[in-house]
Amino acid sequence: MTNFEYYAPTKVVFGKGTEEQVGELVCGQKCNKVLVHYGSGSVKKSGLLDRIFQSLEEEGVSYISLGGVVPNPRLSLVYEGIRLCKKEQVDFILAVGGGSVIDSAKAIGYGVANEGDVWDFYERKRAAQGCLPIGVVLTIAAAGSEMSNSSVITNENGWLKRGYGNDCCRAKFAIMDPELTMTLPKYQTASGCVDIMMHTMERYFNQEENLELTDGFSEHLIRTVMDNAKILMKEPDNYKARAEVMWAGSLSHNGLTGCGTAGGDWASHQLEHELGGMFDVAHGAGLAAVWGSWARYVLDARPDRFARFAVRVMGQTKGKDEIETALRGIEAMEEFYRSIEMPVSLSDMEIHPDEKQLHSLAEKCSHFGKRTIGCIKKLEQEDMYQIYKNAL
Ligand code: NZQ
Ligand code: ZN
């Protein structure tokens, strides 16, 4: 087991009606002015935003609001939020939404707490020294940003999607009411489930020896999400299934499933981020579309690990050797993705990049030749190109 640090400081308030506690929780943060940050309309339509404003008012919390965050959140709105927060002397941000809203809130928080251009952090030019405190009311189980140290932003200038991780942005509290996720379109529910599974799988496919507890935990988490995703495709109002998936979402990305590893692979995520930047696809769907291609490309580096996954997670019987077992597991996972109407190729998403675009995706993903990705097998720009091509 590799040495590790586990840091999960976010207070979780989970269950039916917990959003009613938002005023009280914000009040406990002893702030003077709050920015309520939200997306493109779902929280208005559902009435959640009004209920949040009411709860803040009941506690005498002073607030302003900024909506308009889109999936694959944009840097231009982050800049607008930073200007607004500075002008209004905001000292706490309440993100009401999913990963995109939370990530935008974190970026605004960095921009207010640090001098200079916030994009520098996402470009890895320097490290943030602080972040405004963030609180979350989660409306979609997917990205895990409510407990993660990460934020992913898209710069419209070049359509570059970049992530930045720093513990100082971790949310002070996260309110998670599974009922709030019942209004999600089927596609977003499915896409979220894929993302949750992938946060665990990225950590599971590593170069470690077997880890009894962490592996067992991860395997069960993935199976739990698969079982409940299938239920939710038929019964979107099933509270128990919504709750299982929501809690899995946070645990899949708060570091728990990486304890004892050097950090995981993350190549599928890096490959998907460029698809999100260039084609604006839903993150989880993009992951499903590239995963099979990635898995087949790297499996010879750890056939034992892929074979274990096939048996323990996907319930496959052993083949004549580890490679055959591993391939059965990959096929079974693709079959599962299809069963929840997720893509298993780029053309399933109606994306047909030409040769020039494939090279551009690989170039961007390699940060213009400056980085490799993945730990199970280190991938160069040419490998990235090949994985995109195999995913067509
Ligand atoms: O904007 P609104 O109108 O709210 O609509 C959203 C959006 O269209 C809708 N939605 C959310 N809650 C809803 C709802 N619709 C109806 N009812 C509800 N209760 O769902 C759509 C997707 O929302 P988004 O926030 O984009 O989803 P998600 O949580 O999947 O976040 C995706 C973003 O997070 C990043 C992704 O790259 C992507 O940009 N990630 C962030 C991570 C992190 N910070 O730790 C890790 C992840 O790996 C991921 O990269
Ligand atoms: Zn993800």
Side-chain angles (χ1 to χ4, degrees):
M1 195 187 269
T2 302
N3 293 3
F4 67 93
E5 285 181 17
Y6 176 57
Y7 181 62
T10 304
K11 173 174 177 157
V12 173
V13 183
F14 192 101
K16 285 183 190 176
T18 44
E19 65 275 18
E20 283 166 22
Q21 297 174 42
V22 69
E24 203 182 320
L25 282 161
V26 172
C27 220
Q29 295 295 319
K30 312 232 175 307
C31 49
N32 292 317
K33 200 170 211 178
V34 176
L35 174 74
V36 180
H37 200 32
Y38 60 94
S40 305
S42 74
V43 295
K44 277 191 175 170
K45 205 169 144 200
S46 66
L48 174 65
L49 197 61
D50 283 340
R51 286 190 282 135
I52 284 180
F53 289 158
Q54 192 186 339
S55 177
L56 294 175
E57 282 157 27
E58 278 167 11
E59 294 291 331
V61 174
S62 168
Y63 67 87
I64 55 169
S65 64
L66 177 66
V69 180
V70 293
N72 299 314
R74 308 291 197 259
L75 183 62
S76 55
L77 190 72
V78 170
Y79 287 145
E80 189 182 331
I82 295 168
R83 278 194 300 273
L84 184 65
C85 286
K86 285 185 173 166
K87 183 167 152 258
E88 298 283 339
Q89 298 190 314
V90 163
D91 56 0
F92 189 86
I93 306 180
L94 181 67
V96 184
S100 297
V101 174
I102 305 167
D103 288 1
S104 182
K106 288 172 175 176
I108 294 171
Y110 286 136
V112 176
N114 298 272
E115 293 299 321
D117 187 353
V118 70
W119 187 246
D120 288 352
F121 306 131
Y122 294 82
E123 290 262 271
R124 312 278 151 81
K125 287 187 182 155
R126 59 196 174 103
Q129 301 303 312
C131 184
L132 279 191
I134 311 280
V136 173
V137 180
L138 191 64
T139 65
I140 170 171
S145 185
E146 66 280 5
M147 287 189 87
S148 82
N149 73 347
S150 146
S151 157
V152 189
I153 298 294
T154 297
N155 187 342
E156 299 97 316
N157 184 8
W159 294 103
L160 300 170
K161 187 171 172 181
R162 295 277 181 269
Y164 176 60
N166 190 316
D167 278 336
C168 69
C169 79
R170 289 195 195 251
K172 300 291 171 202
F173 64 79
I175 294 174
M176 296 183 218
D177 176 354
E179 282 188 326
L180 297 180
T181 66
M182 289 178 182
T183 52
L184 279 167
K186 201 174 176 186
Y187 189 77
Q188 289 296 342
T189 298
S191 175
C193 287
V194 173
D195 195 18
I196 295 168
M197 290 161 60
M198 282 298 304
H199 291 154
T200 309
M201 285 149 69
E202 296 276 23
R203 292 171 169 96
Y204 186 87
F205 290 108
N206 56 46
Q207 281 294 0
E208 309 290 332
E209 291 316 307
N210 291 341
L211 296 159
E212 300 249 338
L213 185 58
T214 300
D215 282 349
F217 193 85
S218 302
E219 288 157 359
H220 195 65
L221 194 154
I222 300 166
R223 286 196 307 265
T224 301
V225 176
M226 288 170 70
D227 291 346
N228 287 287
K230 282 189 207 148
I231 294 172
L232 290 175
M233 291 303 101
K234 294 199 187 101
E235 303 169 40
D237 292 344
N238 185 314
Y239 179 82
K240 188 178 171 297
R242 288 284 179 195
E244 296 284 0
V245 168
M246 194 171 221
W247 187 219
S250 298
L251 293 185
S252 75
H253 204 32
N254 77 351
L256 186 63
T257 58
C259 291
T261 77
D265 188 88
W266 297 103
S268 301
H269 263 73
Q270 315 294 5
L271 291 161
E272 190 289 328
H273 281 170
E274 300 313 327
L275 292 173
M278 195 183 281
F279 299 105
D280 208 15
V281 299
H283 172 62
L287 288 170
V290 291
W291 185 78
S293 172
W294 166 83
R296 288 186 181 87
Y297 196 84
V298 303
L299 91 87
D300 62 334
R302 278 303 295 268
D304 59 322
R305 198 102 189 114
F306 278 92
R308 180 185 161 118
F309 178 80
V311 173
R312 297 215 183 191
V313 180
M314 303 313 297
Q316 299 299 298
T317 50
K318 287 187 181 169
K320 68 175 185 316
D321 56 22
E322 283 174 338
I323 297 273
E324 190 177 300
T325 313
L327 285 169
R328 284 183 186 171
I330 295 167
E331 272 159 34
M333 180 53 84
E334 288 180 324
E335 200 45 49
F336 167 75
Y337 288 154
R338 282 193 203 96
S339 77
I340 59 166
E341 295 171 33
M342 282 285 106
V344 295
S345 67
L346 300 184
S347 49
D348 282 352
M349 288 192 296
E350 287 171 21
I351 288 176
H352 308 284
D354 57 25
E355 273 300 303
K356 201 171 153 217
Q357 285 173 314
L358 288 173
H359 282 292
S360 171
L361 284 166
E363 195 178 34
K364 286 179 175 184
C365 191
S366 71
H367 289 184
F368 303 93
K370 286 201 214 103
R371 72 161 180 181
T372 58
I373 59 170
C375 85
I376 209 155
K377 189 187 261 186
K378 275 207 181 349
L379 302 171
E380 309 275 349
Q381 187 174 326
E382 183 56 30
D383 301 308
M384 300 171 203
Y385 162 81
Q386 202 54 53
I387 292 171
Y388 284 126
K389 198 172 169 67
N390 295 349
L392 284 175

